[in-house]
Amino acid sequence: MPDPSFPQPQDAALIPRFAGLPTFMRLPISTSALGVDIGLVGVPFDGGTTNRAGARHGPREIRNASSFIRRIHHASGISPYDLARVADLGDSPVNPIDLMKSLDLITGFFSEIKGHGTIPISAGGDHLITLPILRALASTTPVGMVHFDAHSDTNDRYFGDNLYTHGTPFRRAVEEGLLDPRRVIQIGIRGSIYDPSDLDFAKAAGFRIVFIEEFVKRTPEDIIAEAREIVGDKPVYVSFDVDAIDPSQAPGTGTPEIGGFTTFEAQRMVRGLQGLNIIGADVVEVSPPFDLSNMTSILGATLMFELLCIVAARFQA
Amino acid sequence: MPDPSFPQPQDAALIPRFAGLPTFMRLPISTSALGVDIGLVGVPFDGGTTNRAGARHGPREIRNASSFIRRIHHASGISPYDLARVADLGDSPVNPIDLMKSLDLITGFFSEIKGHGTIPISAGGDHLITLPILRALASTTPVGMVHFDAHSDTNDRYFGDNLYTHGTPFRRAVEEGLLDPRRVIQIGIRGSIYDPSDLDFAKAAGFRIVFIEEFVKRTPEDIIAEAREIVGDKPVYVSFDVDAIDPSQAPGTGTPEIGGFTTFEAQRMVRGLQGLNIIGADVVEVSPPFDLSNMTSILGATLMFELLCIVAARFQA
Amino acid sequence: MPDPSFPQPQDAALIPRFAGLPTFMRLPISTSALGVDIGLVGVPFDGGTTNRAGARHGPREIRNASSFIRRIHHASGISPYDLARVADLGDSPVNPIDLMKSLDLITGFFSEIKGHGTIPISAGGDHLITLPILRALASTTPVGMVHFDAHSDTNDRYFGDNLYTHGTPFRRAVEEGLLDPRRVIQIGIRGSIYDPSDLDFAKAAGFRIVFIEEFVKRTPEDIIAEAREIVGDKPVYVSFDVDAIDPSQAPGTGTPEIGGFTTFEAQRMVRGLQGLNIIGADVVEVSPPFDLSNMTSILGATLMFELLCIVAARFQA
Amino acid sequence: MPDPSFPQPQDAALIPRFAGLPTFMRLPISTSALGVDIGLVGVPFDGGTTNRAGARHGPREIRNASSFIRRIHHASGISPYDLARVADLGDSPVNPIDLMKSLDLITGFFSEIKGHGTIPISAGGDHLITLPILRALASTTPVGMVHFDAHSDTNDRYFGDNLYTHGTPFRRAVEEGLLDPRRVIQIGIRGSIYDPSDLDFAKAAGFRIVFIEEFVKRTPEDIIAEAREIVGDKPVYVSFDVDAIDPSQAPGTGTPEIGGFTTFEAQRMVRGLQGLNIIGADVVEVSPPFDLSNMTSILGATLMFELLCIVAARFQA
Amino acid sequence: MPDPSFPQPQDAALIPRFAGLPTFMRLPISTSALGVDIGLVGVPFDGGTTNRAGARHGPREIRNASSFIRRIHHASGISPYDLARVADLGDSPVNPIDLMKSLDLITGFFSEIKGHGTIPISAGGDHLITLPILRALASTTPVGMVHFDAHSDTNDRYFGDNLYTHGTPFRRAVEEGLLDPRRVIQIGIRGSIYDPSDLDFAKAAGFRIVFIEEFVKRTPEDIIAEAREIVGDKPVYVSFDVDAIDPSQAPGTGTPEIGGFTTFEAQRMVRGLQGLNIIGADVVEVSPPFDLSNMTSILGATLMFELLCIVAARFQA
Amino acid sequence: MPDPSFPQPQDAALIPRFAGLPTFMRLPISTSALGVDIGLVGVPFDGGTTNRAGARHGPREIRNASSFIRRIHHASGISPYDLARVADLGDSPVNPIDLMKSLDLITGFFSEIKGHGTIPISAGGDHLITLPILRALASTTPVGMVHFDAHSDTNDRYFGDNLYTHGTPFRRAVEEGLLDPRRVIQIGIRGSIYDPSDLDFAKAAGFRIVFIEEFVKRTPEDIIAEAREIVGDKPVYVSFDVDAIDPSQAPGTGTPEIGGFTTFEAQRMVRGLQGLNIIGADVVEVSPPFDLSNMTSILGATLMFELLCIVAARFQA
């Protein structure tokens, strides 16, 4: 029997799903993470974007689209709001015109979340936001990572000497000791590259890279089995860049690459991560100005729900 | 010096305007009207729509767009949040597949608002919502009305015997004794009609109808001067159907009619109503599925702010 | 040699496909079903929609898009207009603001069609329309059903006590004795649910539910083979909710769920139904206000043509 | 009392305006002009377009949008279907890849219309279609013309030696003796030009050109008064290129020029032509692929209704 | 007789306007300003944007849209390519993730242009770009400015201590001695404000602010007469933020404010500046991701052509 | 070590990808093919289109989208600009209103390219453009062809007697001795047909047709193996109509057919053609007016890059 004190989404039988305030999953807003097991967080920052900006609008539109999501997972039967205290923790503070300050603001916000023992599932923002999140969550010991993306995001610099862009977070994270590179797997990598050495860092560091060419020859379940072996039982972060998915299913993103995997393959892979020691997760690079009929926001909200279910399952008595 | 206990919008210097929860004007949500001077309310109901539905999504998108609005009116200097306690009161309950029940739910919601002495400024929804609002606000004595619209909305029935549609609210309101027809002015009326008798009821009842053909020969200020004479000092309701405005400036609406007045003429007219004894107001027929680049939602939010300013001015010491 | 009296689509060699009146498949309009073997019908009603309305515009846009369809099926070689008298029977009468009356109007319209021995293939409208159609077609004896959908549509009530919505038609149809539940198969079911008991009714009644998780492990042909066993030789209705298909291929719908099957899988399944005793069929939940580049209307028109071909094949001498 | 045999639009009280077949004004289709006083015609040809094609889709979308139009003019009170037999005559035959043949097909179609004494009001199509229409209507004697447009359309040739494009029809019409140049007025002309001599032909021929710079200094009524003097009592054709109107109100067109007049100014000018000896009229250059929320199609349909009303007024007993 | 060595746009009689490379006005690209009288320049930077980014895409889409513009001004008869050597100078270098560096890059680029005696007409980018342009053009002596905008852009700081945003350029320009504040006029100012003191700096410095409320009571010609008096014969810069114009005519911008002036009023005002000592000009805040049917890009291109004509007129012998 | 004289794309580390002139792949423009190994060419002609025009805008938008493409192929490691001299050769001359003349202009343009020994990779335009290209490239001896398409494009005539449309090029090419029909393979064919004989010509001539029904039963690699056998070592042309791909991934096209193959299957097939004796290639029927979020233009640009890589591989020492 669920704890009656657990926060619950607005009841669609009373308030239609197009009505009411668009919080994540129609959950209550909580201004503090205190007493919250799993926090849904927005990080409206796209200052690390080197081409098309717009992911700053991701949290608002993902919240909006999350009204489509009902309470219970149809396949696993997981009912997250019965298992854990889940709340919308609002947006991290950011400064849209000051990149370095924003990184600090984000790290500060997530440090407080971590201080309450809350597991954050975040909606970006561009992929640079994962770096300050990891600075908060992995400050004491490097973590593993399951990383879905079209791009390795391990470039060194952009435009001469810029170390911090949405193309560099995981190189920085390794350099800063936030990621254990042998416990990192990147799935869905594809797309033309600037230089033959673009992936050298990731390979040398020990990342397991699953290019889309390998992906289509295996099943999602098979790849996830390998991912579980790689990341093991120790703390792991899950980062999902929606450009991993084909642009026909995720058009609202800044750097589309044709030939991605499908949303359902994504769902099957996320479900396969259940049972891992997940300390946090994010869905990034949803860029509403380039979206179509809210398709990518709906996808982002659904992936957050898939992530929520597998994290909530850890709270099952 | 403003009362420090008055609710204030989120500070855009701290939280960028694209971030944070999209309440009306970025104000706090209040689950009760108790202690609230002016309540901003959503009424997400379009069950009275005879052609293109979609206005049910109006409150959500107007809230979203209202993040564009800053604190203070540039022309009048009115700072509404310093003059009055203003809050987002959330959405009225509605039932999207039960018209008659929705009318009752809406009346109940607004009766409670009125019971607290709060003045509601509402975002529709289709124009039928004004009828149950008037049932709450004008239950004891008929009120006057300044009505901006392309259509008189005084038809009798639709599809045989349907008395309640977005084309009939003001006929019903007169019949029910909610409106004092000699204190009603309709501005912007135009568009082809079904029958020569379509406007007979309004004319016979004593409504003053300002067709767009007359409108363009006069100034907005001149028309509003006449409106003020007509409605006088007694309680008046202001109802603004966005289809009064030209479809190029208000494309997101269900029943567009070319040849409307401009947004700036609308703003000038609303400003001209300052000082009247306004007991409530609404902005209706914003239909996001037909909108373009959020243009109509932004318009709706701006009109709500214009209305808010003139109502707040009444609270000036 | 085809019967020269059979109605034929406008000849694209004379009238380009963007020209002329947009009837279904560019066929003649017939105001009566008399002498028509297969009738293409619009049912422009979405009053049962609990979230995003718009399917009322489905018939008009599907007609529009059906101008893309040529005369003959490229794979089966079926030439439907040579095998059967096919006509556009126009739209069923509906009342957009009166749900219960609309149900009766639709049943009346289809009863007349049935009275002429005509097999209707309908374009919705939301999924509630299937209930009044079944009331007409299955009035004497329960029928089987092949049902493609993301949702089981067997909920009990919405918003308290509303029995008739687009989420409830098949529960009502069983209760009313219109469907033989042991001869019903639902294909493509997925998406989060409100309550663990949401599917209990369908399962208890004996529906065969093929979730998308099972679907992707089998072939469309395999699933259809099972469907044919389940429905057998007796009368069967085919109902195709376009939200069964992935939102990237069917964005114009009210309740999208990511992770659906593909249009080509849909085509292969519909083709696999050839030879069944089909008494009627529909394509529902095409919602043009949310569509992109008419993609979903084109899909709807193509599915109607696929259905038309397999039904016309029954008329082959 | 209206003649009960006159064709009438579908009754919106029975068939909602989003339902039913989208003929012009929801009128019956007539395959012959015999017995028709005023014929509404589509000419889906844009083969004369030198920049952005798309006007071939104009007739279909204008028909679609014309469902918004009700029966009676609200300002003049004209009830066209009570005064005249009005019908949708379908589309002129055209050949989208053969310009010269299309000109002949169009002339043939309109010659037959003229043969029945029917006055055609046409929906284009690009502006070249006016030339073959004039060849049919003005074959015996040159007519006057009231021409609304951003461009004079009196260029000589395009791309070397092409005499027939949407930039040349009125030069050809003068050369062919179809237009009496001293009875031609062009209103709304503006936009950059290729060569200082671009307007020399029109000026030398005697066209009265009202540039937008002159237009804004006068009233629409004043300009129309001049137009009436120029065209006098003899036969006159009215040609309305929607790019005369500002692109914010007519975005769906191939050659937009900012700074046009408004839709309401257009309506006032068309109304001012009542009483002239109008032998035909058209609304051209509506290009749906570039339209927004059907705005330009709705405009096109409304202008056709305005034209219909002033032509029908001639049939008043 | 024009100098045959002057650069000319591609001839539309040979290369249709939808073909060929989309340079500004279809002019040749020049990698150096040497020998160029008037340079058309892109500044694809929006790093100063505090709300919705996207203006970085402005130069590309304005170039694209400028293919609509022909050679000669229809009203003034000015043929700019016969009067001056005009070229597309390409884009200024920028760094999308480094604001301070971008300011320097832009200043460097324009310093070189100025060094060749070339007058730049620029396409932004957000309004912050005007600051580094002024640093190059007004490095030795403060200039006057005619500034069209909905916002004064004289705020002090954003998000705590950020001095450089698109809301602050003109405060900085005064502080840096780039603008002579008594020779500055701002036209079209409107929209809600954050604080009553928002405009204090501009007023105290001596800017002439023409609010939209004053604007509608006067004519554009009258206001420009006053502007000419204010700026006098000394060097003046013209800065046109497209949000000065009504959002229905300029939807593609980051900070829309309803109630602006029209495109034609804009054109009349720009034309009225002919004869001033213009040292440079820009059109900023065109944000293609929010644009509709390229409307705002077409507007931007047309305004650049209007500016080009009045600047070219200075080269008339 | 690459030859330093080879043309290179603009460096994205200096000029962000949204900046600079949108040439194909950000390469230099070359006005002559002299010294160019591989020429990227636009053919902005859609005069052969029988239904929805718009492909004339394909070259411009594909160029625009090609800014997304980086330098090196991630899977094959091919670095085309190090292997061959590649340049943007601009657009072929065309005449949008004169089909026969355009065919000659295109053949002339490509004859010159062929004269320089340059291999052209072209962006259409509609599919008729392949005919005049083949007239230039295969003037002396018939070539083989790998043809990806939903349609066989071997119809005889349209609209009576029109021999040249986008539905007929390959019938004409066989008749003119440009194609060796036994060395032609068509992949992806599907969609309803006008007449049972539609494919008779292709079959009789000896084309190998791989319908989509066969395609889904095999792997792309298997099909390409067969294609390689069919075309052998002799000269072959590759023609890619984007409507071969599913409309959800290629919405911007004139004649969409649901149920196509995926972009990644397309990429795998193109890659499989490496090593063939490719004398030219094209990507046609990208129609920007019907595109969504530039999805089809990005696809077109990526396919051009895939083609470029396999052609460049031939230049490897």
Side-chain angles (χ1 to χ4, degrees), chain B residues 199-229:
Chain B
L199 299 168
D200 289 355
F201 177 86
K203 289 175 182 168
F207 285 18
R208 168 70 170 103
I209 301 180
V210 181
F211 288 94
I212 197 69
E213 284 75 16
E214 176 184 352
F215 182 93
V216 297
K217 293 183 189 146
R218 301 169 63 184
T219 65
E221 286 70 21
D222 184 32
I223 287 161
I224 287 303
E226 182 184 350
R228 296 181 70 105
E229 272 187 41

Side-chain angles (χ1 to χ4, degrees), chain B residues 95-146:
Chain B
N95 181 327
I97 54 172
D98 191 333
L99 191 152
M100 298 308 287
K101 187 173 175 185
S102 292
L103 297 186
D104 287 346
L105 287 166
I106 297 167
T107 297
F109 191 77
F110 280 84
S111 294
E112 197 178 319
I113 290 171
K114 190 197 176 198
H116 290 294
T118 308
I119 299 175
I121 300 177
S122 307
D126 70 38
H127 220 154
L128 180 55
I129 70 160
T130 307
L131 179 64
I133 293 173
L134 288 175
R135 284 175 179 169
L137 303 189
S139 58
T140 53
T141 179
V143 299
M145 182 169 69
V146 182

Side-chain angles (χ1 to χ4, degrees), chain E residues 8-317:
Chain E
Q8 297 296 320
Q10 283 182 288
D11 187 345
L14 299 178
I15 310 285
R17 292 194 282 160
F18 51 81
L21 214 61
T23 59
F24 283 123
M25 313 294 162
R26 298 165 53 100
L27 285 166
I29 280 278
S30 176
T31 53
S32 161
L34 179 66
V36 174
D37 297 317
I38 305 171
L40 306 181
V41 188
V43 188
F45 183 74
D46 62 10
T49 301
T50 58
N51 195 344
R52 305 193 303 182
R56 70 182 69 181
H57 304 287
R60 183 167 288 194
E61 290 307 321
I62 291 174
R63 275 194 180 90
N64 199 353
S66 74
S67 292
F68 278 111
I69 312 293
R70 303 176 200 81
R71 291 175 47 82
I72 297 172
H73 197 283
H74 79 287
S76 67
I78 294 171
S79 181
Y81 316 112
D82 293 338
L83 299 175
R85 291 177 188 83
V86 190
D88 183 331
L89 298 181
D91 281 353
S92 167
V94 299
N95 182 326
I97 56 171
D98 192 333
L99 191 153
M100 297 308 287
K101 187 174 175 184
S102 292
L103 297 186
D104 287 347
L105 288 166
I106 297 167
T107 297
F109 191 78
F110 280 84
S111 293
E112 197 178 319
I113 290 171
K114 190 196 176 198
H116 289 295
T118 308
I119 299 175
I121 301 177
S122 308
D126 70 38
H127 220 153
L128 180 55
I129 69 160
T130 308
L131 179 65
I133 293 174
L134 288 175
R135 284 175 179 169
L137 303 189
S139 57
T140 53
T141 178
V143 298
M145 182 170 70
V146 182
H147 174 202
F148 302 93
D149 206 327
H151 314 94
S152 175
D153 292 353
T154 50
N155 282 76
D156 189 15
R157 285 148 206 267
Y158 274 74
F159 309 115
D161 55 1
N162 292 93
L163 292 167
Y164 301 103
T165 79
H166 68 158
T168 66
F170 301 118
R171 187 162 192 151
R172 294 295 94 77
V174 170
E175 292 169 351
E176 298 182 15
L178 306 170
L179 284 178
D180 174 356
R182 289 150 311 169
R183 293 181 51 237
V184 171
I185 181 167
Q186 301 187 309
I187 302 169
I189 307 300
R190 66 188 186 279
S192 54
I193 53 179
Y194 289 120
D195 194 87
S197 68
D198 275 9
L199 298 168
D200 288 355
F201 177 86
K203 289 175 183 168
F207 285 18
R208 168 70 171 104
I209 301 180
V210 181
F211 287 95
I212 198 69
E213 285 76 15
E214 176 183 352
F215 183 93
V216 296
K217 293 183 190 148
R218 302 170 63 185
T219 65
E221 286 70 22
D222 184 33
I223 287 161
I224 288 303
E226 181 184 350
R228 296 180 71 104
E229 273 186 40
I230 287 171
V231 300
D233 293 337
K234 285 188 287 184
V236 63
Y237 189 82
V238 181
S239 188
F240 204 116
D241 185 326
V242 293
D243 68 25
I245 289 170
D246 194 78
S248 61
Q249 297 185 311
T253 198
T255 320
E257 306 284 352
I258 68 169
F261 53 71
T262 70
T263 54
F264 192 56
E265 288 168 336
Q267 290 176 288
R268 287 155 69 188
M269 288 192 282
V270 170
R271 292 175 194 170
L273 301 176
Q274 189 175 330
L276 292 183
N277 183 3
I278 296 170
I279 59 151
D282 60 44
V283 176
V284 298
E285 298 284 356
V286 171
S287 183
F290 299 96
D291 204 6
L292 297 168
S293 228
N294 300 320
M295 202 187 290
T296 317
S297 296
I298 295 171
L299 162 63
T302 311
L303 289 178
M304 286 183 81
F305 183 72
E306 295 278 0
L307 288 162
L308 172 60
C309 286
I310 61 168
V311 172
R314 298 180 57 194
F315 290 81
Q316 199 134 22

Side-chain angles (χ1 to χ4, degrees), chain C residues 224-289:
Chain C
I224 287 304
E226 182 184 350
R228 296 180 71 104
E229 272 187 40
I230 287 170
V231 302
D233 293 337
K234 285 188 286 186
V236 62
Y237 189 82
V238 181
S239 188
F240 204 116
D241 185 326
V242 294
D243 69 24
I245 289 172
D246 194 79
S248 60
Q249 297 185 310
T253 197
T255 320
E257 306 283 352
I258 68 169
F261 53 71
T262 70
T263 52
F264 192 55
E265 288 167 337
Q267 290 176 288
R268 286 155 70 187
M269 288 191 282
V270 170
R271 292 174 195 172
L273 301 176
Q274 189 175 331
L276 292 182
N277 183 4
I278 297 170
I279 59 152
D282 61 45
V283 176
V284 298
E285 298 285 358
V286 171
S287 183

Side-chain angles (χ1 to χ4, degrees), chain C residues 17 70 72 249 271 293, chain F residues 192-194 213 246 257 290:
Chain C
R17 292 194 282 160
R70 303 175 200 83
I72 297 172
Q249 297 185 310
R271 292 174 195 172
S293 228
Chain F
S192 54
I193 53 180
Y194 289 120
E213 285 76 16
D246 193 79
E257 304 284 351
F290 299 96

Side-chain angles (χ1 to χ4, degrees), chain F residues 25 39 42 55 64-65 79 97 104-105 107 128 133 155-156 164 186 238 246 266-267 272 287-288 299 316:
Chain F
M25 313 294 162
N64 199 352
S79 180
I97 55 171
D104 287 346
L105 287 167
T107 296
L128 180 55
I133 293 175
N155 282 74
D156 189 15
Y164 302 103
Q186 301 187 309
V238 181
D246 193 79
Q267 290 176 287
S287 183
L299 162 63
Q316 200 135 21

Side-chain angles (χ1 to χ4, degrees), chain C residues 184-201:
Chain C
V184 171
I185 181 167
Q186 300 187 309
I187 301 170
I189 306 302
R190 65 187 187 280
S192 54
I193 54 180
Y194 289 120
D195 193 87
S197 69
D198 275 8
L199 299 169
D200 288 355
F201 177 85

